């Protein structure tokens, strides 16, 4: 089987021929149909973060495909069933986080495409308990971006406790942001979308953003303040300054939800304003299996649109370059030929 492999940080990925992986106990082997390119995969390939993967590794945590082999003890999945393999490859199921509905915080978790090989491959392994069944009617090419971009932003809006009367700022209308915007609309909020490319700003308007802010020309904080200030801002742009920009646009009691993770990122949080204005700054990491099930249900019900372009895995390096230069619509999905 073919896989795109990170052999060294900051180097182009290499397409390699590898033997099919054999599922161990509790695992399944998935024949990948579609696999999304999340910006996290670029951070992984560059070794951007303090906790790093160990090359060589196969990135990708938006892999969707058909189960083709069952490891020992797997009884609830069947060969031929379509599953998605998210970032949360495995969690312990026993710790306080797992037991309290926060499996995404489990300290024993293994992350797909980071701590084990991921979805940039024709075949991949998944822990059966964390391989999410994809409902009938969702194409693999749509399911892929929902598997990280969808669940992460759906969760971020839950964490922000968004209500219909509220103004929500979506900072960055990329793979994550174009879905965040739709979930904020579904929650009934008034949505301000912020980006720095014409295409993304147009996309935001098309997806129903009530206020569109071009951060190249306007100060997002000022614009948000002119609308009374945001109740919540979801920070999805891979740019440190974008975090401070929306922080300044929060109203009293507002929440800044940190989701994007620019390399070596920090944000200055002014203590006086944060205390006086009762501001919350919250980190949000992906979502649980239940969150992903809800994301799939919403999509199956026709309530979200996945904006994506499909490409062959062989285009992986130019695709990464295109994401970094804003030359894509919203999400690139590698199509393994048997997708929708
Ligand atoms: P992306 O590249 O598709 O989207 C980023 C968007 O931000 C682009 O549309 C870009 O034009 C826009 N942008 C850039 N500079 C901006 C600025 N100054 N102001 C406003 N917008 C700006 O990336 P993505 O796949 O959506 O991922 C975004 C980030 O989220 C990455 O850092 C990724 O690692 C992270 N991420 C976090 C989680 C999590 O669980 N916390 C999950 C997935 C991804
Ligand atoms: Zn991701
Ligand atoms: Zn745990």
């Amino acid at each position: 089987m073919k896989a795109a492999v990170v052999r060294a940080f900051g180097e182009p990925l290499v397409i390699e021929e590898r033997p099919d992986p054999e599922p161990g106990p509790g695992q399944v082997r998935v024949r990948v149909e579609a696999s999304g390119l999340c910006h996290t995969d670029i951070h992984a390939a560059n070794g951007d973060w303090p906790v790093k993967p160990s090359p060589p590794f196969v990135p990708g945590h938006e892999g969707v495909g058909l189960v083709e082999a069952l490891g020992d003890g797997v009884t609830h999945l069947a060969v031929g069933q379509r599953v998605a393999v998210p970032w949360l490859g495995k969690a312990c199921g026993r710790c306080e986080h797992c037991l309290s509905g926060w499996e995404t915080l489990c300290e024993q978790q293994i992350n797909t495409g980071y701590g084990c090989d991921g979805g940039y491959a024709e075949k991949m392994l998944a822990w059966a308990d964390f391989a999410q069944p994809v409902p009938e009617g969702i194409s693999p090419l749509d399911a892929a971006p929902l598997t990280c971009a969808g669940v992460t932003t759906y969760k971020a809006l839950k964490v922000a406790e968004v209500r219909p009367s509220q103004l929500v700022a979506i900072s960055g209308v990329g793979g994550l942001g174009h879905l965040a915007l739709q979930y904020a609309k579904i929650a009934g909020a008034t949505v301000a979308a912020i980006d720095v490319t014409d295409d993304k700003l147009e996309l935001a308007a098309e997806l129903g953003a009530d206020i569109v802010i071009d951060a190249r020309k306007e100060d997002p904080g000022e614009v948000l303040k002119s609308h009374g200030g945001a109740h919540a801002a979801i920070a999805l742009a891979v740019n440190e300054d974008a975090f401070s920009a929306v922080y300044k646009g929060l109203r009293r009691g507002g929440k800044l939800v940190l989701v994007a993770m620019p390399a070596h990122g920090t944000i200055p949080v002014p203590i006086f304003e944060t205390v006086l204005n009762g501001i919350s700054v919250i980190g949000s990491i992906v979502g649980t299996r239940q969150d992903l099930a809800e994301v799939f249900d919403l999509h199956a019900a026709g309530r979200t649109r996945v904006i994506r372009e499909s490409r062959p895995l062989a285009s992986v390096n130019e695709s990464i370059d295109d994401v970094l230069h804003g030359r894509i619509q919203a999400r690139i999905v590698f199509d393994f030929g048997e997708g929708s």
Side-chain angles (χ1 to χ4, degrees):
M1 63 122 186
K2 285 193 173 39
V5 180
V6 175
R7 302 211 60 88
F9 293 132
E11 300 282 318
L13 278 69
V14 180
I15 307 282
E16 282 180 8
E17 192 63 37
R18 290 184 159 193
D20 287 0
E22 281 308 316
Q27 290 185 315
V28 294
R29 184 171 67 231
V30 177
R31 182 157 55 79
V32 179
E33 299 170 287
S35 194
L37 194 178
C38 179
H39 207 120
T40 290
D41 303 331
I42 305 178
H43 296 303
N46 287 334
D48 273 349
W49 296 333
V51 177
K52 296 181 199 303
S54 310
F57 69 95
V58 179
H61 53 275
E62 289 186 347
V64 173
L66 303 175
V67 173
E68 76 168 14
L70 305 177
D72 283 350
V74 177
T75 53
H76 74 288
L77 294 178
V79 169
Q81 189 171 354
R82 180 167 292 133
V83 293
V85 189
W87 173 255
L88 189 63
K90 184 185 201 260
C92 82
R94 290 182 303 275
C95 70
E96 64 172 288
H97 308 296
C98 285
L99 293 176
S100 60
W102 284 96
E103 60 197 21
T104 49
L105 301 182
C106 176
E107 294 198 51
Q108 308 297 320
Q109 70 185 272
I110 298 176
N111 298 124
T112 310
Y114 210 88
C116 64
D117 284 338
Y120 287 17
E122 289 172 325
K123 312 269 173 107
M124 72 185 299
L125 296 179
W127 280 278
D129 285 343
F130 288 80
Q132 187 77 32
V134 178
E136 287 292 319
I138 301 184
S139 78
L141 293 170
D142 274 2
L146 296 172
T147 301
C148 178
V151 72
T152 298
T153 52
Y154 181 73
K155 183 64 157 195
L157 284 152
K158 275 192 180 180
V159 164
E161 299 176 312
V162 168
R163 295 197 304 274
S165 59
Q166 296 188 328
L167 174 63
V168 175
I170 304 297
S171 172
V173 188
L176 267 63
H178 90 284
L179 287 160
L181 192 168
Q182 297 178 60
Y183 296 129
K185 291 297 290 182
I186 290 171
T190 300
V191 178
I194 308 160
D195 208 289
V196 290
T197 72
D198 294 336
D199 289 351
K200 301 285 175 55
L201 295 165
E202 268 167 40
L203 175 63
E206 193 191 316
L207 292 173
D210 303 282
I211 302 162
V212 175
I213 305 172
D214 182 344
R216 292 166 303 187
K217 299 184 184 146
E218 303 168 287
D219 176 345
E222 295 289 320
V223 180
L224 292 169
K225 276 283 158 76
S226 75
H227 290 276
H231 295 84
I234 316 295
L236 306 168
V238 193
N239 177 305
E240 275 186 5
D241 295 341
F243 287 73
S244 317
V246 285
Y247 175 95
K248 290 183 191 126
L250 291 172
R251 76 172 62 200
R252 287 195 163 196
K255 300 187 174 103
L256 175 63
V257 184
L258 313 184
V259 176
M261 291 181 278
H264 317 292
T266 54
I267 51 164
V269 175
I271 295 170
F272 181 79
E273 285 82 357
T274 304
V275 172
L276 230 72
N277 296 333
I279 300 293
S280 306
V281 178
I282 311 165
S284 187
I285 177 77
V286 294
T288 62
R289 290 171 284 181
Q290 177 59 27
D291 294 319
L292 182 53
E294 292 171 22
V295 159
F296 281 157
D297 284 348
L298 279 173
H299 194 71
R303 303 199 54 197
T304 47
R305 265 175 72 196
V306 174
I307 308 294
R308 36 87 178 165
E309 46 190 284
S310 55
R311 299 187 182 184
L313 183 65
S315 75
V316 62
N317 291 309
E318 64 191 75
S319 295
I320 286 175
D321 211 45
D322 287 346
V323 172
L324 290 173
H325 291 92
R327 289 189 296 253
I328 65 155
Q329 272 195 305
R331 201 54 143 195
I332 288 173
V333 180
F334 300 120
D335 184 351
F336 289 80
E338 292 157 24
S340 64

